[in-house]
Amino acid sequence: MRVCNQVRAVAKREWSAYFNSPVAYIFIIIFLALAGFFTFSVSNFYEAGQADLSRFFFWHPWLYLILVPAVAMRLWAEERRLGTMELLFTSAVTPGQAILGKWLAAWAFLALALALTFPIPLTAAWLGQPDWGVIAAGYVASLLLAGAYLAVGMFTSALTRNQVISFILAVVLGLFLILAGFQPVTELLSQWAPGWLVDGVAAFSFMPHYEAMQRGVLDLRDFVYFGSVVGFMLFLTHLVLGNRSGR
Amino acid sequence: MIKVEHLVKKFGLRTAVDDVSFGVEKGTVLGFLGPNGAGKTTTIRMIAGYLPPTSGTVMVNGVDVVANPVAAQRQIGYMPENTPLYDDMTVSGFLRFIAELRGLRGKARDQRVADIMERCMLTSVRHQPVDTLSKGYRRRTGLAQTLLHDPAVLLLDEPTEGLDPNQKQVVREMIEQMAKDKIIMLSTHVLEEVEALCTRIMIISEGRLKLDSTPEDLKKRSASYNTLTLDVVAPGADPATVLAQIPDVAQVDVVQRAGDKHVLRLIPRDKQSLAVSAIEVATQHKWLVTELRADPGRLDDVFRDVTTTADVIRQSA
Ligand SMILES: Nc1ncnc2c1ncn2[C@@H]1O[C@H](COP(=O)(O)OP(=O)(O)O)[C@@H](O)[C@H]1O
Ligand SMILES: [Mg+2]
């Protein structure tokens, strides 16, 4: 199908763009190093001696907060800066196809980085008998979380030709989406805000959904949540790109 | 076929393109001429389906660009101003990517890319990253990209801008080759370009179409058109006074005089050709004409005229 071809062409280009520069390798190394450092040193994975990965997955929202915007920032800002957006959008490609292609490529890249953490579950297996179902659920949750962050970063990337601005905006938005449902913050808020409001705001946050899935509870509603965040952010990206000013 | 009707583009309060209408037929190489900031790029972007017009319509081969940009873009090859390219890709990788966007796959894609690289003399640099190309090769890559889907319409925004004379010549030859049974619309502010390439010229200034004509017609509008420069050896005579008697001559200037050798400039009353009558007079007086040049007219005169006066001249080509 012609439509799919174009999505695939854009995705393929974007994927190879990551590996055409050292950025991909640097990103993967930093991601693995930080994931390892937090899991083993900060959370004392060994000393705790527990064969579960909660200490590993606990850090992902914070890792992604910084690292995913770094992956997303060039997606559109660079197209604007180089002027290639004009080339792309006059080559019989719809913005929707281009957006989807780019998002899929970057998501696949994040999936690759996440897959390379496989020594950590192997270590858990060596320490004891982990619940592989929970681990699988944890990985699914982490992948969805990464996709949602990515959609946020893609949106901020479409807003500007400056990658640094795109990065900062994405971190700020991401921070809001974490903190709105982060327990220490919700506890603080519930001291002076009505409970329904705190819960309402928290429902927008990544955290309750991520934490629930991570415990091994795969609820359809959490899938719907992450799907909606991605869909909404890509929709906003579409609005921004569709409203072309020519600069 | 391109059909543009009452095209308007406003950026805030500024009107970049102001009620532009024209049509272009197959086989035309249209030079879109105008000073910087005239609205050339904005017009071309609207035809290419990149910028939505504020009002007006653009049809390309019967497809409404605003209503159906993707279908229209399948008929169009477009090279934006300054040749933006994906700098991190190799030449062949880049062309393969664009070919895929254009719906080509597998063997058909590779074959097409190889053909086009051959035609655009890019084969030797095909493995080179785009950001290491010289300006000439970069421009050729930009041109190659427009040809992959064999479009009926080519839109080239300043195709030779910033190239050295040799590179310009190469690009011009490429455009000439592409011209058969296509519509080519190229924008430029370089006049020699349109003289060399175009069968039709439109001049735009401050967003308005000022003139629509052929290069030959345009030159006739030049003030110096058919001014005759005459080198004549006339012993003991005053050829300037004698030649001024010719009815079609408005004025005779003495450019140079050395003994019996005169260099004279004859300005016609109404841009008529003066060569025949001048030679007749010279033969009658037994003067020796050593050189005779009629001014072919200069586009830059017309260009300056048209883009600095406010009145709109519309003449169909
Ligand atoms: N995206 C834009 N936003 C605001 N103004 C613009 C934009 N693009 C062009 N303009 C203005 O519109 C006018 C026409 O520009 P342009 O079409 O680029 O001219 P040309 O290509 O003939 O040099 C200029 O005054 C320019 O500053
Ligand atoms: Mg321009």
Side-chain angles (χ1 to χ4, degrees), chain A residues 2 5-6 8-10 12-13 17 20 79 82-84 86-94 244-246, chain B residues 11 45 48-51 70 73-74 78 80 84-89 94 97 100-103 105 109 145:
Chain A
R2 192 162 186 146
N5 282 346
Q6 275 146 337
R8 181 171 32 199
V10 172
K12 222 168 73 182
R13 195 209 90 75
N20 276 347
E79 298 262 1
L82 291 175
T84 45
E86 192 168 354
L87 206 60
L88 189 63
F89 288 149
T90 52
S91 299
V93 180
T94 63
R244 280 195 280 281
S245 69
Chain B
F11 294 109
R45 280 176 165 171
Y50 181 64
L51 274 185
V70 169
Q73 285 166 358
R74 292 198 182 113
Y78 172 45
L85 301 173
Y86 289 98
D87 282 339
D88 56 329
M89 303 179 95
F94 169 71
F97 168 57
E100 281 173 12
L101 292 185
R102 293 299 192 173
R105 292 186 64 191
R109 171 202 65 193
Q145 164 273 125

Side-chain angles (χ1 to χ4, degrees), chain B residues 260-300:
Chain B
D260 293 335
K261 283 183 70 175
H262 305 252
V263 179
L264 305 172
R265 190 184 298 123
L266 279 62
I267 299 166
R269 252 178 235 291
D270 218 8
K271 298 185 182 173
Q272 306 96 323
S273 169
L274 298 175
V276 173
S277 35
I279 289 172
E280 243 168 35
V281 171
T283 348
Q284 269 171 26
H285 292 80
K286 301 216 162 52
W287 299 333
L288 179 65
V289 176
T290 57
E291 206 173 327
L292 186 76
R293 290 183 305 273
D295 191 314
R298 293 217 312 274
L299 280 178
D300 47 351

Side-chain angles (χ1 to χ4, degrees), chain A residues 163-197:
Chain A
Q163 297 195 21
V164 176
I165 294 175
S166 154
F167 177 86
I168 293 170
L169 288 176
V171 171
V172 170
L173 271 178
L175 197 61
F176 170 78
L177 284 170
I178 292 186
L179 292 183
F182 191 53
Q183 237 175 25
V185 176
T186 48
E187 274 164 18
L188 201 71
L189 285 180
S190 55
Q191 285 173 10
W192 50 269
W196 60 265
L197 186 64

